[in-house]
Amino acid sequence: MFALAQSQAALPVPGDVLLKRGFSVRSFGTGTHVKLPGPAPDKPNVYDFKTTYDQMYNDLLRKDKELYTQNGILHMLDRNKRIKPRPERFQNCKDVFDLILTCEERVYDQVVEDLNSREQETCQPVHVINVDIQDNHEEATLGAFLICELCQCIQHTEDMENEIDELLQEFEEKSGRTFLHTVCFY
């Protein structure tokens, strides 16, 4: 099972592409609150993780239906509320994943820090990989297909533990992007 941890609540594209390709994926936030774009970059809409997608949707609908329809936030929230009731915070999840993907270095650092602070019980490895994706729809779409291709290649490796470094190096050369990678243990 894959986890996609991200702070960019406006960019659900990587998770969507992975789900459509048949991957078992869960999406998480890593911050202390859920932040959605607001009327200005310095005025985000901030919600507690206990707030349901339905509550967020209705709040934004009330605040400025046109703005949040135009920027796609209402569509994203409508889709999300059909998947699960509310956002999930990675640090509160104790499920085990084979691979965790992040789309921002700061989020990668938060995930690695959290995993390394947990008590190791099974020593099962989890690979944490970061692919930086800019917070716009075009970059999110391109990044989503790159992440999907990476996941497909990882899925088809015979020995992920021994092949992943070489695979990531090939993807770096092919994409011109730098990938961060570490192995943590449960």
Side-chain angles (χ1 to χ4, degrees), residues 145-162:
F145 286 107
L146 179 66
I147 287 171
C148 186
E149 185 179 349
L150 174 64
C151 289
Q152 288 171 330
C153 288
I154 290 171
Q155 187 177 41
H156 291 103
T157 60
E158 289 184 28
D159 184 359
M160 182 171 75
E161 301 304 319
N162 289 320

Side-chain angles (χ1 to χ4, degrees), residues 36-96:
L36 298 176
D42 63 335
K43 296 181 180 177
N45 291 286
V46 180
Y47 301 98
D48 187 276
F49 273 93
K50 295 176 185 170
T51 308
T52 67
Y53 286 122
D54 200 44
Q55 291 168 322
M56 291 179 207
Y57 182 93
N58 290 328
D59 181 51
L60 297 181
L61 194 62
R62 181 185 51 78
K63 286 180 178 176
D64 191 337
K65 179 181 179 180
E66 186 176 325
L67 171 66
Y68 297 113
T69 299
Q70 187 177 30
N71 69 9
I73 300 299
L74 290 177
H75 174 73
M76 178 196 72
L77 291 171
D78 187 52
R79 187 206 66 240
N80 286 356
K81 67 183 179 180
R82 287 183 263 131
I83 297 170
K84 59 186 178 183
R86 64 185 43 85
E88 294 177 271
R89 187 167 185 256
F90 179 78
Q91 293 88 334
N92 296 339
C93 177
K94 300 307 173 200
D95 295 340
V96 175

Side-chain angles (χ1 to χ4, degrees), residues 73-139:
I73 300 299
L74 290 177
H75 174 73
M76 178 196 72
L77 291 171
D78 187 52
R79 187 206 66 240
N80 286 356
K81 67 183 179 180
R82 287 183 263 131
I83 297 170
K84 59 186 178 183
R86 64 185 43 85
E88 294 177 271
R89 187 167 185 256
F90 179 78
Q91 293 88 334
N92 296 339
C93 177
K94 300 307 173 200
D95 295 340
V96 175
F97 299 97
D98 301 312
L99 177 65
I100 299 171
L101 299 158
T102 63
C103 301
E104 185 179 337
E105 188 171 348
R106 180 180 57 81
V107 175
Y108 171 85
D109 291 341
Q110 290 171 324
V111 167
V112 170
E113 180 182 339
D114 179 69
L115 289 169
N116 285 335
S117 71
R118 296 180 185 188
E119 185 177 327
Q120 292 181 359
E121 297 173 3
T122 65
C123 291
Q124 177 181 334
V126 57
H127 292 267
V128 184
I129 298 173
N130 182 70
V131 181
D132 273 326
I133 297 177
Q134 292 178 12
D135 196 3
N136 64 60
H137 190 72
E138 182 179 335
E139 278 294 311

Side-chain angles (χ1 to χ4, degrees), residues 2-4 12-26 99 101 103 143-152:
F2 298 155
L4 183 64
V13 179
D16 287 351
V17 171
L18 290 169
L19 283 170
K20 288 177 183 173
R21 298 282 167 90
F23 288 98
S24 176
V25 178
R26 287 188 45 205
L99 177 65
L101 299 158
C103 301
F145 286 107
L146 179 66
I147 287 171
C148 186
E149 185 179 349
L150 174 64
C151 289
Q152 288 171 330

